[in-house]
mmCIF file of all heavy atoms in Angstrom:
data_model
loop_
_atom_site.group_PDB
_atom_site.id
_atom_site.type_symbol
_atom_site.label_atom_id
_atom_site.label_comp_id
_atom_site.label_asym_id
_atom_site.label_seq_id
_atom_site.Cartn_x
_atom_site.Cartn_y
_atom_site.Cartn_z
ATOM 1 N N ASP G 122 -8.276 8.604 12.728
ATOM 2 C CA ASP G 122 -9.030 7.468 13.238
ATOM 3 C C ASP G 122 -9.490 6.636 12.038
ATOM 4 O O ASP G 122 -9.124 6.927 10.895
ATOM 5 C CB ASP G 122 -10.204 7.918 14.114
ATOM 6 C CG ASP G 122 -11.181 8.832 13.384
ATOM 7 O OD1 ASP G 122 -11.151 8.917 12.128
ATOM 8 O OD2 ASP G 122 -11.992 9.471 14.069
ATOM 9 N N GLU G 123 -10.287 5.604 12.295
ATOM 10 C CA GLU G 123 -10.706 4.711 11.215
ATOM 11 C C GLU G 123 -11.495 5.449 10.133
ATOM 12 O O GLU G 123 -11.311 5.214 8.944
ATOM 13 C CB GLU G 123 -11.521 3.544 11.776
ATOM 14 C CG GLU G 123 -11.754 2.436 10.772
ATOM 15 C CD GLU G 123 -10.477 1.847 10.161
ATOM 16 O OE1 GLU G 123 -9.480 1.641 10.875
ATOM 17 O OE2 GLU G 123 -10.492 1.613 8.932
ATOM 18 N N ALA G 124 -12.383 6.337 10.539
ATOM 19 C CA ALA G 124 -13.163 7.114 9.564
ATOM 20 C C ALA G 124 -12.253 7.989 8.715
ATOM 21 O O ALA G 124 -12.448 8.124 7.505
ATOM 22 C CB ALA G 124 -14.213 7.961 10.278
ATOM 23 N N ALA G 125 -11.244 8.580 9.336
ATOM 24 C CA ALA G 125 -10.298 9.427 8.606
ATOM 25 C C ALA G 125 -9.464 8.603 7.624
ATOM 26 O O ALA G 125 -9.173 9.063 6.520
ATOM 27 C CB ALA G 125 -9.394 10.173 9.582
ATOM 28 N N ILE G 126 -9.098 7.390 8.028
ATOM 29 C CA ILE G 126 -8.348 6.506 7.132
ATOM 30 C C ILE G 126 -9.188 6.199 5.894
ATOM 31 O O ILE G 126 -8.696 6.255 4.760
ATOM 32 C CB ILE G 126 -7.921 5.211 7.860
ATOM 33 C CG1 ILE G 126 -6.829 5.533 8.880
ATOM 34 C CG2 ILE G 126 -7.455 4.151 6.866
ATOM 35 C CD1 ILE G 126 -6.489 4.393 9.824
ATOM 36 N N GLN G 127 -10.460 5.910 6.098
ATOM 37 C CA GLN G 127 -11.347 5.644 4.959
ATOM 38 C C GLN G 127 -11.497 6.882 4.071
ATOM 39 O O GLN G 127 -11.518 6.775 2.841
ATOM 40 C CB GLN G 127 -12.713 5.171 5.460
ATOM 41 C CG GLN G 127 -12.654 3.792 6.081
ATOM 42 C CD GLN G 127 -13.984 3.355 6.687
ATOM 43 O OE1 GLN G 127 -14.987 4.050 6.591
ATOM 44 N NE2 GLN G 127 -13.977 2.194 7.320
ATOM 45 N N GLU G 128 -11.569 8.050 4.685
ATOM 46 C CA GLU G 128 -11.658 9.305 3.933
ATOM 47 C C GLU G 128 -10.408 9.516 3.075
ATOM 48 O O GLU G 128 -10.499 9.881 1.903
ATOM 49 C CB GLU G 128 -11.839 10.468 4.911
ATOM 50 C CG GLU G 128 -11.964 11.816 4.262
ATOM 51 C CD GLU G 128 -12.106 12.949 5.270
ATOM 52 O OE1 GLU G 128 -12.246 12.709 6.490
ATOM 53 O OE2 GLU G 128 -12.058 14.117 4.823
ATOM 54 N N VAL G 129 -9.238 9.272 3.655
ATOM 55 C CA VAL G 129 -7.977 9.430 2.929
ATOM 56 C C VAL G 129 -7.910 8.430 1.771
ATOM 57 O O VAL G 129 -7.551 8.806 0.643
ATOM 58 C CB VAL G 129 -6.763 9.259 3.865
ATOM 59 C CG1 VAL G 129 -5.462 9.134 3.080
ATOM 60 C CG2 VAL G 129 -6.682 10.422 4.850
ATOM 61 N N GLU G 130 -8.245 7.193 2.025
ATOM 62 C CA GLU G 130 -8.173 6.180 0.967
ATOM 63 C C GLU G 130 -9.143 6.481 -0.173
ATOM 64 O O GLU G 130 -8.809 6.301 -1.342
ATOM 65 C CB GLU G 130 -8.386 4.790 1.560
ATOM 66 C CG GLU G 130 -7.197 4.354 2.406
ATOM 67 C CD GLU G 130 -7.373 3.033 3.131
ATOM 68 O OE1 GLU G 130 -8.519 2.521 3.202
ATOM 69 O OE2 GLU G 130 -6.363 2.506 3.655
ATOM 70 N N ALA G 131 -10.326 6.982 0.161
ATOM 71 C CA ALA G 131 -11.285 7.374 -0.883
ATOM 72 C C ALA G 131 -10.747 8.559 -1.680
ATOM 73 O O ALA G 131 -10.861 8.604 -2.914
ATOM 74 C CB ALA G 131 -12.636 7.717 -0.259
ATOM 75 N N ALA G 132 -10.152 9.522 -1.002
ATOM 76 C CA ALA G 132 -9.577 10.687 -1.686
ATOM 77 C C ALA G 132 -8.404 10.273 -2.572
ATOM 78 O O ALA G 132 -8.252 10.790 -3.687
ATOM 79 C CB ALA G 132 -9.138 11.736 -0.668
ATOM 80 N N MET G 133 -7.589 9.340 -2.102
ATOM 81 C CA MET G 133 -6.467 8.861 -2.921
ATOM 82 C C MET G 133 -6.991 8.251 -4.212
ATOM 83 O O MET G 133 -6.449 8.504 -5.294
ATOM 84 C CB MET G 133 -5.631 7.845 -2.134
ATOM 85 C CG MET G 133 -4.817 8.465 -1.023
ATOM 86 S SD MET G 133 -4.117 7.285 0.169
ATOM 87 C CE MET G 133 -3.539 5.960 -0.830
ATOM 88 N N GLN G 134 -8.049 7.464 -4.098
ATOM 89 C CA GLN G 134 -8.654 6.865 -5.280
ATOM 90 C C GLN G 134 -9.193 7.976 -6.201
ATOM 91 O O GLN G 134 -9.019 7.921 -7.415
ATOM 92 C CB GLN G 134 -9.773 5.914 -4.876
ATOM 93 C CG GLN G 134 -10.416 5.208 -6.047
ATOM 94 C CD GLN G 134 -11.481 4.213 -5.591
ATOM 95 O OE1 GLN G 134 -11.774 4.063 -4.419
ATOM 96 N NE2 GLN G 134 -12.075 3.539 -6.557
ATOM 97 N N GLY G 135 -9.814 8.981 -5.613
ATOM 98 C CA GLY G 135 -10.327 10.100 -6.394
ATOM 99 C C GLY G 135 -9.228 10.875 -7.104
ATOM 100 O O GLY G 135 -9.381 11.262 -8.262
ATOM 101 N N VAL G 136 -8.102 11.087 -6.423
ATOM 102 C CA VAL G 136 -6.965 11.786 -7.025
ATOM 103 C C VAL G 136 -6.473 11.024 -8.256
ATOM 104 O O VAL G 136 -6.211 11.607 -9.310
ATOM 105 C CB VAL G 136 -5.823 11.974 -6.000
ATOM 106 C CG1 VAL G 136 -4.521 12.399 -6.671
ATOM 107 C CG2 VAL G 136 -6.227 12.982 -4.929
#
Side-chain angles (χ1 to χ4, degrees):
D122 58 15
E123 192 56 41
I126 289 170
Q127 291 175 4
E128 181 182 353
V129 168
E130 289 175 347
M133 288 167 42
Q134 182 177 2
V136 167

